[in-house]
Amino acid sequence: MIVKAIPTNIITGFLGVGKTSLIKQLLATKPENETWAVLVNEFGEVGIDAGLLNNSDSGIQIREVAGGCMCCAAGVPTQVAINQLIARAKPDRLLIEPTGLGHPNEIIKVLSAPHYQNVISLCSTLCLVDARKVSDPRYSTHANFIQQLQVADVIMATKTDLYSATDPAESAALLTALQAYLNDLQRIDIPVISHSSQRDLPLDLLAFLDQPRRERAWALKANVVAKPHSLLRVTANTLGEMGLFAENVSEQRLTFDPRGIARKQNHGEGCFSCGWVFEPSQEFDFYRLMAFIQDQTRLATAGESLLRLKAVMITTDGIAGINWVDREYHVVELDDTLDSRLEMIATQELDWDDIERQLMACLVV
């Protein structure tokens, strides 16, 4: 039985800005006697971010909803995931990470619904932004990028250590440009916190997260074009039929082909994704896999349409967590994973069949 509304924060921001890394840092601050829950919504269909969080703490529960932007957040999968997390974890705090291509307004509307009023206490919404992107019209004029900033209660300028390692004045100019951009969006009063990926969380961020969300009716009226599948919504009757906090709602399972591979694709918001999941028994040659990923990202650097590549892979040298975005490439060793997963997001449909052949060539036979 829930006797106290759960403090809930939305962590939003565009693709590759560092949302998952920040959530990992936030989880490290969790008091030992508390249980925290995390809901991750990904644009791609296979779900990788939960694996990159590499959670081994019994006081943390993580749930993914793959295959959608936040324009369909009001659909059944997202609400069922929220309900199941609450029922199973009974968390002291809930963190929600929408996809970087999503409309955060929609998840705010879901969490503001009457049936959640005594269950969820919607606290500050945090938007992460890379100040280097403000001068790039692909970002600064993108409706989702703008909306993410408009709904935020706190903005964090991330990756500040990468702005300029040699010229502090250049870093300051980027932050000034970010503030000017926010002023143009009429976000003059919004707190802006700078954060280096190499440092601990700023203390003022934790204080801001506990503040109640400020109501901004104008922000919720943003012009968002809903997709046809967003018409499928959980009504009060539907919630009553399945039980608002039912635990027995079946979850989608992957279907592997005879090769032991499941492949899923998605498109929307001007982007295309393709993801592969491999049965746990399959293992990749680490060096062939790294060469494959370098080939894909080299093409992107040369002008191809790849926006993002991320993976959690079982290899001959251990479990590798891989993250590539905007020419920044990171590989970390993880403790555990259920299977191998790789996903790519691009601004146009790539030759997924050829990419799959190259990926399969990295398997240990």
Side-chain angles (χ1 to χ4, degrees):
M1 180 178 179
I2 297 170
V3 296
K4 181 182 177 182
I6 302 163
T8 300
N9 298 104
I10 298 170
I11 313 294
T12 188
F14 218 68
L15 287 175
V17 76
K19 298 186 295 297
T20 302
S21 297
L22 179 75
I23 288 176
K24 191 171 182 178
Q25 287 186 293
L26 284 170
L27 293 177
T29 71
K30 180 189 73 67
E32 290 185 7
N33 62 338
E34 289 189 3
T35 297
W36 287 18
V38 182
L39 175 66
V40 180
N41 176 261
E42 298 192 54
F43 177 76
E45 292 281 349
V46 301
I48 292 175
D49 283 349
L52 292 173
L53 284 170
N54 196 27
N55 171 53
S56 59
D57 190 328
S58 59
I60 297 171
Q61 297 289 322
I62 299 172
R63 176 71 189 272
E64 287 178 313
V65 179
C69 57
M70 279 291 119
C71 65
C72 55
V76 170
T78 296
Q79 292 205 52
V80 167
I82 292 171
N83 299 342
Q84 289 181 337
L85 261 180
I86 293 172
R88 295 173 181 176
K90 299 177 176 59
D92 297 285
R93 182 179 294 274
L94 174 61
L95 303 175
I96 298 180
E97 179 194 342
T99 168
L101 292 171
H103 303 286
N105 272 344
E106 295 303 309
I107 193 65
I108 290 170
K109 290 178 184 178
V110 169
L111 298 175
S112 302
H115 52 262
Y116 284 125
Q117 284 185 1
N118 296 322
V119 178
I120 285 176
S121 174
L122 192 54
C123 298
S124 294
T125 294
L126 172 64
C127 178
L128 279 59
V129 61
D130 185 336
R132 296 172 296 179
K133 302 295 190 293
V134 170
S135 59
D136 187 338
R138 293 178 302 171
Y139 296 86
S140 61
T141 62
H142 197 290
N144 294 14
F145 184 86
I146 293 170
Q147 188 188 105
Q148 289 164 1
L149 291 166
Q150 285 179 328
V151 302
D153 298 291
V154 185
I155 289 173
M156 173 177 279
T158 60
K159 304 183 180 181
T160 56
D161 52 311
L162 303 178
Y163 291 177
S164 177
T166 57
D167 187 358
E170 183 179 342
S171 296
L174 286 168
L175 292 172
T176 299
L178 171 59
Q179 191 62 65
Y181 180 76
L182 294 173
N183 292 349
D184 289 340
L185 296 180
Q186 300 181 358
R187 303 311 320 276
I188 299 172
D189 61 335
I190 196 77
V192 179
I193 302 172
S194 296
H195 180 47
S196 163
S197 55
Q198 306 300 319
R199 296 179 183 172
D200 294 335
L201 289 176
L203 294 177
D204 48 352
L205 171 64
L206 298 175
F208 276 123
L209 287 180
D210 283 329
Q211 294 180 2
R213 175 175 167 74
R214 290 178 292 174
E215 294 295 334
R216 285 185 294 277
W218 61 269
L220 293 176
K221 295 177 181 177
N223 182 21
V224 177
V225 179
K227 301 296 182 292
H229 56 277
S230 70
L231 298 176
L232 179 61
R233 300 183 183 274
V234 177
T235 65
N237 288 337
T238 306
L239 288 165
E241 290 168 4
M242 72 180 189
L244 178 56
F245 303 109
E247 295 189 58
N248 59 354
V249 180
S250 63
E251 299 177 16
Q252 184 178 10
R253 296 184 181 278
L254 291 168
T255 301
F256 293 96
D257 66 17
R259 303 170 301 168
I261 301 172
R263 169 171 151 183
K264 292 194 171 187
Q265 295 175 224
N266 189 18
H267 65 89
E269 303 300 318
C271 292
F272 298 80
S273 75
C274 188
W276 293 265
V277 182
F278 294 79
E279 286 185 334
S281 59
Q282 307 219 50
E283 187 178 59
F284 287 81
D285 180 279
F286 179 80
Y287 297 100
R288 290 205 298 264
L289 179 64
M290 291 301 103
F292 160 79
I293 290 172
Q294 288 170 6
D295 284 345
Q296 304 308 312
T297 56
R298 191 179 298 115
L299 288 172
T301 303
E304 292 288 332
S305 63
L306 183 66
L307 289 175
R308 186 81 189 273
L309 185 153
K310 53 186 175 179
V312 174
M313 308 294 282
I314 300 170
T315 80
T316 50
D317 281 24
I319 300 169
I322 302 160
N323 201 344
W324 180 91
V325 64
D326 285 347
R327 304 184 185 184
E328 294 172 11
Y329 179 51
H330 302 281
V331 181
V332 297
E333 185 175 0
L334 303 177
D335 295 330
D336 194 16
T337 186
L338 294 176
D339 47 39
S340 293
R341 297 170 175 238
L342 184 144
E343 190 152 59
M344 301 170 70
I345 300 176
T347 56
Q348 66 185 40
E349 195 153 19
L350 304 181
D351 187 344
W352 305 122
D353 291 336
D354 182 57
I355 292 171
E356 181 177 294
R357 283 191 289 271
Q358 296 177 53
L359 182 56
M360 288 183 62
C362 302
L363 284 166
V364 175
V365 180

